[in-house]
Amino acid sequence: MGSLVRHVTIDSSDAYALATFWAKVLDAKVSDEDQPGDEDALVETPGAGLLFVTVPDKKSVKNRVHLDLQPQDRTRDEEVERLLGLGATLVDDRRTPDGRGWAVMADPEGNEFCVERSVSERPEQDGA
């Protein structure tokens, strides 16, 4: 048997603060073992968790890997508005007039992620 991804690890300047943001995004929780000021903080999610680690250097270039989010109980556009309210920023709007596309966003530390259409917004066999 091969390996499993246990965590996706993300460098940050404040692990607990960024984990708290992502816990709200994913309707998840920060591990009970983590506290403000800790060097790392885990967001517990089904499958691989998100592990935030405090590092001294700031983000300086575009991410080579990013998360693609698919809303489960709202539309893509409703999710974009919710995430803006949580402190995310809209980096690049790739949504198209026909309803396809995605929104490129950034978390409070500038890490890019995308918001795709929900399952209910996608025609069958549509990948975008």
Side-chain angles (χ1 to χ4, degrees):
M1 175 180 215
S3 296
L4 297 174
V5 175
R6 182 168 176 210
H7 302 126
V8 175
T9 302
I10 301 170
D11 291 350
S12 61
S13 61
D14 183 337
Y16 192 83
L18 199 55
T20 300
F21 168 83
W22 278 100
K24 291 175 185 174
V25 168
L26 300 173
D27 194 25
K29 62 177 253 173
V30 177
S31 172
D32 292 334
E33 297 176 11
D34 298 320
Q35 302 296 322
D38 286 354
E39 292 295 312
D40 57 66
L42 176 65
V43 176
E44 299 172 331
T45 61
L50 296 180
L51 180 62
F52 297 89
V53 178
T54 301
V55 297
D57 39 300
K58 301 286 184 201
K59 180 181 177 302
S60 61
V61 296
K62 183 182 182 314
N63 296 11
R64 300 251 342 215
V65 174
H66 67 267
L67 303 176
D68 287 341
L69 305 181
Q70 183 180 56
Q72 299 299 298
D73 60 352
R74 60 184 60 92
T75 68
R76 175 198 56 212
D77 295 346
E78 290 169 338
E79 182 68 348
V80 167
E81 291 304 314
R82 184 180 80 88
L83 298 175
L84 289 169
L86 292 176
T89 55
L90 184 62
V91 174
D92 189 11
D93 196 340
R94 301 284 184 100
R95 295 174 283 186
T96 60
D98 66 0
R100 296 176 58 106
W102 60 93
V104 181
M105 302 189 78
D107 69 20
E109 290 197 13
N111 300 301
E112 294 92 0
F113 63 95
C114 293
V115 181
E116 299 180 348
R117 293 182 294 168
S118 66
V119 171
S120 65
E121 294 177 285
R122 294 172 180 266
E124 288 187 40
Q125 305 300 318
D126 182 2

